[in-house]
Amino acid sequence: MTRDSLSETAQRVLRLNDTGKFTKPSPRQYPHQWNWDSAFIALGLAHFDLPRACVEVQSLLSAQWRDGMVPHIIYPTAASDYFPPPEFWQTQNLPYAGNVQSSGLTQPPILATIVRMMHDRVPSLGFTREVYPRLLAWHRWLHTARDADGTGLPCLIHPWESGMDNSPLWADALDRVTPTNLPAFKRRDMIHVAADERPLGPDYERFVHLIDLGRRLHWEPRALLGQMPFLVQDVLFCSILHRADEDLRALAIELGEETHEMDAWLAHTRAVFDARFWDDTQGLYRDYDVRVSEPIRVNANAVFAPLFAGLASPAQAARLVADHFDNPSEYAPDGDSSFRLPSVAKNERGYSARRYWCGPIWIQMNWIIAEGLRRYGFTAQANAVVRDSLALIEQSGFREYYDPRDGSGCGATDFCWSAALALEMLAQQDISTPMR
Ligand code: DGY
């Protein structure tokens, strides 16, 4: 694929997956609506069809639960060969759930950031006014219903909530999860994607077991915080939320709304973030396992996410770049790998170049990381990430993830957020600046 045709093909992929109301992440592997996928997709759609981008956001928010939660999978369409099917979650008829069939989990709250980007480019007060209260309710839910320790940092109750579903980050926490009385189920995720690019059987059983526990607790937030064996505060999720709180605050100002609540969240997160996540010995951020009150000592590329949120000091940012981003044993290209940025540091025990979230490159992580690097003035590094992202797509098409060694595509095909973010990267970035 040449760079000239990239934008055209990206639009074609978004159209191919368009159901009219929402966009499937990919035609076969993910045939329903996913939360943060839809947010990135809206950003891509906004480049050539703003009204359709607004519909994408509206349809996602129409599945919001009464308590504020915005679910991670929404099932507006009928049957598919995807597992888990809608009824598996047992979310129907809960007093605090929504009217649309959905999972009982949430996903990284990037949506307010995307809505702000859309609004800044083409101000649309009517649309922004309509979605703002729903975004506010979701953020409020995250800072309160998922706050286990008074820090206001939300806890995740399932690896799927992190978006990094199968990362080695979760290995130790999942080791303590023993599947018992597993409900009958049949994996479907290896029908359209090779088994060695998907999670291993024992991990998948734990994912299903955690869903089973969640549904037995009726997805009631206090019960989940009290009883789910997997309870984690995640650097990527909390960074995305902090950035989204900033963006929600900017939208509030545009709309003439109060900002007190957001001011408090922003101040609170800033006050606790380093104490909770920063590892000064290694010069990076660590997730936190709330169940055992211990940092999670795994180096995944989410360590760069606080740059996206402006949460790092200049000195912390400089260490992240010098010791990790530019380090060929971790994230920089070396004799064995040619592309940035593996999802897990190459010298991690759990690194695996093609397996789901264990090492492959993801375009949405690259976008978040490039934005963060740019925010701190690391323009050449940001451009290098963008250049590699576009090169991967040119070489291997719009895939779900990519092998950092040779750039070959893995996972689902015709993958929408790769297409959406290619449009964004093409429009935004100067890809010609050389690495410094
Ligand atoms: C899956 O089925 O692997 C999805 O990523 C869950 O969100």
Side-chain angles (χ1 to χ4, degrees):
M1 200 189 311
T2 66
R3 193 152 281 177
D4 286 347
S5 63
L6 205 88
S7 158
E8 217 173 278
T9 320
Q11 292 187 28
R12 194 182 53 68
V13 168
L14 292 175
R15 292 292 191 207
L16 169 79
N17 288 289
D18 186 357
T19 67
K21 274 213 155 127
F22 75 95
T23 309
K24 302 174 199 171
S26 79
R28 285 169 293 278
Q29 184 77 349
Y30 304 109
H32 302 284
Q33 184 172 25
W34 266 257
N35 183 324
W36 69 331
D37 292 75
S38 262
F40 289 121
I41 286 164
L43 186 63
L45 287 170
H47 283 285
F48 63 99
D49 189 345
L50 187 60
R52 180 63 190 78
C54 294
V55 170
E56 190 74 24
V57 175
Q58 285 160 331
S59 73
L60 171 57
L61 289 174
S62 71
Q64 183 165 39
W65 284 22
R66 287 179 191 84
D67 67 3
M69 196 264 266
V70 180
H72 106 288
I73 308 177
I74 296 139
Y75 297 86
T77 36
S80 74
D81 67 0
Y82 179 75
F83 174 84
E87 62 281 2
F88 193 82
W89 296 94
Q90 298 178 7
T91 53
Q92 299 94 313
N93 306 321
L94 299 174
Y96 34 86
N99 296 324
V100 185
Q101 285 207 310
S102 76
S103 74
L105 304 172
T106 193
Q107 249 185 346
I110 193 92
L111 189 61
T113 297
I114 304 295
V115 169
R116 182 189 178 184
M117 290 174 77
M118 287 165 59
H119 183 88
D120 281 356
R121 289 172 192 180
V122 184
S124 163
L125 277 178
F127 169 73
T128 306
R129 196 173 293 289
E130 176 197 327
V131 299
Y132 172 80
R134 289 186 177 262
L135 293 168
L136 177 64
W138 185 19
H139 286 214
R140 188 180 292 140
W141 181 87
L142 287 165
H143 283 293
T144 55
R146 285 299 186 84
D147 178 11
D149 56 7
T151 59
L153 300 172
C155 289
L156 309 185
I157 56 149
H158 192 294
W160 288 0
E161 292 200 311
S162 71
M164 302 177 288
D165 301 11
N166 189 45
S167 172
L169 282 166
W170 321 130
D172 285 354
L174 286 178
D175 265 355
R176 295 194 316 273
V177 174
T178 313
T180 45
N181 302 320
L182 264 186
F185 77 97
K186 198 164 162 32
R187 275 183 82 165
R188 301 279 188 180
D189 60 310
M190 297 179 305
I191 298 174
H192 308 293
V193 172
D196 64 356
E197 296 170 14
R198 292 295 303 173
L200 295 167
D203 291 326
Y204 206 88
E205 286 187 359
R206 288 175 167 89
F207 299 154
V208 173
H209 178 64
L210 288 171
I211 296 175
D212 189 36
L213 293 181
R215 63 191 195 174
R216 283 189 217 186
L217 297 169
H218 309 293
W219 304 107
E220 198 284 308
R222 286 291 125 191
L224 295 172
L225 289 184
Q227 295 180 52
M228 287 299 273
F230 182 95
L231 200 69
V232 157
Q233 285 162 337
D234 170 47
V235 170
L236 176 67
F237 196 102
C238 292
S239 299
I240 287 177
L241 178 59
H242 187 75
R243 166 69 187 263
D245 284 342
E246 272 186 356
D247 293 320
L248 193 64
R249 185 179 185 283
L251 291 173
I253 291 168
E254 280 284 300
L255 297 171
E257 300 282 345
E258 273 296 337
T259 63
H260 291 155
E261 214 169 346
M262 284 144 270
D263 290 337
W265 296 332
L266 288 165
H268 214 90
T269 301
R270 224 167 241 298
V272 296
F273 199 82
D274 270 7
R276 174 66 12 128
F277 296 129
W278 178 248
D279 175 344
D280 200 46
T281 315
Q282 298 301 318
L284 47 66
Y285 295 91
R286 301 247 184 239
D287 274 19
Y288 191 75
D289 188 328
V290 178
R291 276 288 168 254
V292 293
S293 306
E294 285 214 3
I296 296 176
R297 293 187 179 79
V298 174
N299 178 1
N301 72 359
V303 296
F304 302 109
L307 304 178
F308 180 68
L311 279 161
S313 67
Q316 287 169 319
R319 282 188 76 184
L320 281 169
V321 171
D323 298 351
H324 305 289
F325 182 90
D326 284 339
N327 179 348
S329 328
E330 296 187 12
Y331 295 106
D334 60 8
D336 199 36
S337 74
S338 320
F339 296 92
R340 293 180 188 79
L341 226 56
S343 43
V344 174
K346 288 173 280 180
N347 58 3
E348 267 297 339
R349 196 162 39 96
Y351 174 79
S352 173
R354 296 184 73 81
R355 197 176 294 283
Y356 197 49
W357 281 109
C358 294
I361 298 168
W362 289 77
I363 299 297
Q364 106 287 14
M365 288 303 297
N366 273 10
W367 180 74
I368 288 170
I369 292 165
E371 289 285 299
L373 289 165
R374 215 176 287 289
R375 185 167 178 164
Y376 280 79
F378 293 100
T379 311
Q381 281 84 350
N383 289 340
V385 175
V386 170
R387 214 170 36 234
D388 280 7
S389 305
L390 294 176
L392 286 165
I393 293 170
E394 279 170 5
Q395 178 192 309
S396 303
F398 296 100
R399 297 298 299 266
E400 189 180 4
Y401 39 99
Y402 301 85
D403 186 328
R405 294 169 301 184
D406 59 3
S408 56
C410 313
T413 52
D414 291 319
F415 198 71
C416 278
W417 77 28
S418 302
L421 292 172
L423 290 174
E424 177 65 18
M425 287 175 175
L426 284 170
Q428 254 202 329
Q429 319 285 15
D430 170 18
I431 52 176
S432 60
T433 313
M435 275 288 280
R436 66 176 169 205

